[in-house]
Amino acid sequence: MARDSQATRARLLDAAFTEFATYGIAGARVDRIAEAAQANKRLIYVYYGNKEQLFDAVLQQALATGSESVPFDVDDLPGYAGAVFDHLVERPALMRLVLWKQLERPGSTDAESASYAGKIEAVRQAQEAGRIDARLEAADVLTLVMGLSQAWFGAVGGPAAGGGADADWATERLTAHRAAVMESVRRLTAPGA
């Protein structure tokens, strides 16, 4: 019985991810989520509470998956930026989910704040050790690294805009964008740059 419960929860989270990435919190419908998950709508409330709490669970799972898939490496910020880029290429709906979160729920969760604070501290320590250029505040360095990694996804025709990685975004173009992101981060963070 527990396995069925876990499988149902997983289907609900997957369906909710798609629904929230497509429609945001306000536009998402629990009926569509339940139908897509092939589950009883009542189970959403049993397992997650209300729609907002389901969104929180989806966001938390997406952040955990991102942290596991793309570990932060302060000593290789260009490589980290490239890995974030790759993660988003594989999951373009993730950027849409994050954008909806920013629009409908500005601010950060405790988990987001803790993760960001840890990364900022790691950058600050690397700056003090001379491994990262110290002209910018550590928080600004991290913001720019993340911004460079994510910027392409909101471009006209880019994946977060609904374009997908089709003919307009062929492998060669993806490779060129990834290389540009990594080179930009390298220049930004190189000591004495």
Side-chain angles (χ1 to χ4, degrees):
M1 189 83 162
R3 185 174 9 181
D4 289 341
S5 171
Q6 287 302 102
T8 300
R9 285 176 185 252
R11 286 194 319 273
L12 284 168
L13 284 176
D14 287 345
F17 177 91
T18 301
E19 181 77 6
F20 289 127
T22 303
Y23 300 104
I25 301 169
R29 299 291 175 255
V30 293
D31 290 336
R32 286 193 301 243
I33 294 168
E35 183 180 335
Q38 298 178 341
N40 186 314
K41 178 172 96 170
R42 181 182 64 81
L43 292 176
I44 293 172
Y45 300 102
V46 169
Y47 294 145
Y48 299 104
N50 58 33
K51 182 170 70 168
E52 288 75 17
Q53 290 168 314
L54 176 59
F55 180 82
D56 291 342
V58 167
L59 186 62
Q60 183 59 39
Q61 181 184 42
L63 292 173
T65 300
S67 292
E68 290 170 14
S69 299
V70 186
F72 183 69
D73 184 355
V74 73
D75 291 317
D76 184 12
L77 288 178
Y80 174 71
V84 169
F85 182 90
D86 294 342
H87 185 72
L88 293 173
V89 166
E90 293 173 15
R91 296 161 194 82
L94 178 57
M95 199 65 224
R96 287 193 307 273
L97 181 74
V98 169
L99 292 171
W100 278 115
K101 191 265 182 207
Q102 291 171 343
L103 286 169
E104 295 183 300
R105 283 214 183 140
S108 57
T109 65
D110 290 342
E112 289 172 305
S113 293
S115 174
Y116 201 67
K119 290 173 183 158
I120 291 170
E121 180 58 21
V123 170
R124 188 190 62 70
Q125 288 176 9
Q127 287 175 314
E128 286 178 1
R131 297 188 320 268
I132 293 178
D133 190 294
R135 289 178 294 168
L136 295 172
E137 293 289 325
D140 296 337
V141 170
L142 184 59
T143 299
L144 288 167
V145 169
M146 295 307 297
L148 287 164
S149 301
Q150 299 170 4
W152 169 75
F153 295 90
V156 173
D166 56 15
D168 288 340
W169 298 102
T171 302
E172 296 81 21
R173 193 168 183 191
L174 287 172
T175 302
H177 279 273
R178 184 183 195 279
V181 165
M182 292 178 67
E183 178 60 18
S184 297
V185 170
R186 187 196 64 73
R187 288 182 183 191
L188 171 75
T189 60

